[in-house]
Amino acid sequence: MTVFSYELAPDGAAPLGLIVLQTDETIERDMQRMLAGVALYVSRVPSGAEVTSDTLQQMAGQITHAAGLLPQAQDFGVIGYGCTSGTAQIGPGQIAQLVNEGAKTSHVSEPVSALQAACAHLRIKRLAFLSPYIEEVSSKLRDVLAAGGVQTPVFGSFAEAQEAKVVRISGPSIIAAATALCKDADVDALFLSCTNLRTLDVIDPLEQAIGLPVLSSNQVLAWHMARLGGVAAQGPGQLFAPT
């Protein structure tokens, strides 16, 4: 055997990491679409087939392990945790701590902090809030947003607990519900909650229909991670419009 010497190539820009729920069928494609050309590593965390306060809280015990399954030789620019309601249940600060215990990263993001940052960027104080989930789950998220200065005076839901159905809610169903929700509503924008809900292709049509900015969980998370990580991103809606 001949043994050869070698040189180590320098690392490029710090990659991004993403922790995805086991049941989520949407977020990876959405993030690849908005963060095209960015190095993105993905891990999965066990999650319940039904979304309740209990199943969301249970993920807290698995997040550090999921973060630890990302490449350990990498120093990540940002690691995102891909669950809106789970973040509200566990808490953004706790999410950041759990992720940092499993991987090396400069920043941690999740849809709640990302939404708050997006609202500050667009000067949004009042949201029409459309959720796929049961009221118990959505109420916790609305309380967390209110504590951060974003009110949700108009609320609608598909009242669905099963993730396998949430991901298959059609675009026309989302548009119809969102349009009805925003009719005559005194709000600054619309928020479509849930990383598993297929929202990217309805954002632009909805903005045209209701005349307001439209935000969604995956959209704000990609935007926030890109800003924190100093990388380029492209996505739908006024959030990604040049400033």
Side-chain angles (χ1 to χ4, degrees):
M1 179 182 72
T2 302
V3 177
F4 297 96
S5 63
Y6 61 88
E7 296 179 352
L8 296 176
D11 288 335
L16 306 183
L18 183 65
I19 298 172
V20 176
L21 272 59
Q22 181 181 4
T23 53
D24 198 314
E25 302 177 43
T26 300
I27 190 172
E28 283 174 281
R29 286 181 293 180
D30 282 0
M31 299 298 273
Q32 289 165 358
R33 178 172 161 184
M34 290 181 284
L35 296 168
V38 176
L40 178 67
Y41 296 87
V42 178
S43 180
R44 293 243 170 193
V45 62
S47 59
E50 291 195 4
V51 177
T52 67
S53 297
D54 288 341
T55 59
L56 292 170
Q57 185 63 46
Q58 287 169 8
M59 280 190 285
Q62 302 288 339
I63 292 172
T64 297
H65 177 70
L69 294 177
L70 292 166
Q72 292 293 291
Q74 287 285 357
D75 290 326
F76 289 89
V78 189
I79 295 177
Y81 169 65
C83 185
T84 318
S85 298
T87 299
Q89 184 67 39
I90 299 166
Q94 181 71 0
I95 295 290
Q97 179 180 333
L98 292 169
V99 170
N100 275 295
E101 288 174 359
K104 295 175 288 185
T105 182
S106 299
H107 304 279
V108 175
S109 183
E110 19 64 27
V112 173
S113 296
L115 176 60
Q116 291 170 331
C119 286
H121 177 71
L122 295 176
R123 300 181 180 179
I124 292 166
K125 297 292 186 182
R126 294 167 62 83
L127 286 171
F129 182 107
L130 181 62
S131 168
Y133 296 128
I134 58 176
E135 185 173 3
E136 165 196 330
V137 171
S138 301
S139 294
K140 179 66 174 179
L141 176 54
R142 294 175 70 200
D143 290 343
V144 170
L145 292 174
V150 178
Q151 301 298 318
T152 56
V154 180
F155 169 59
S157 173
F158 294 109
E160 181 55 64
Q162 295 184 38
E163 287 280 27
K165 291 184 178 179
V166 167
V167 67
R168 289 167 177 83
I169 295 173
S170 72
S173 295
I174 297 170
I175 290 174
T179 303
L181 189 66
C182 292
K183 185 178 181 181
D184 301 323
D186 180 18
V187 294
D188 304 319
L190 166 69
F191 176 56
L192 306 173
S193 184
C194 179
T195 61
N196 207 14
L197 196 64
R198 293 172 178 166
T199 62
L200 287 196
D201 290 331
V202 305
I203 290 174
D204 285 333
L206 271 173
E207 287 197 340
Q208 294 177 11
I210 67 176
L212 295 170
V214 177
L215 305 174
S216 77
S217 292
N218 291 346
Q219 175 214 37
V220 298
L221 182 59
W223 172 84
H224 195 226
M225 289 177 66
R227 283 170 67 94
L228 292 174
V231 299
Q234 292 184 328
Q238 295 183 38
L239 181 61
F240 280 96
T243 55

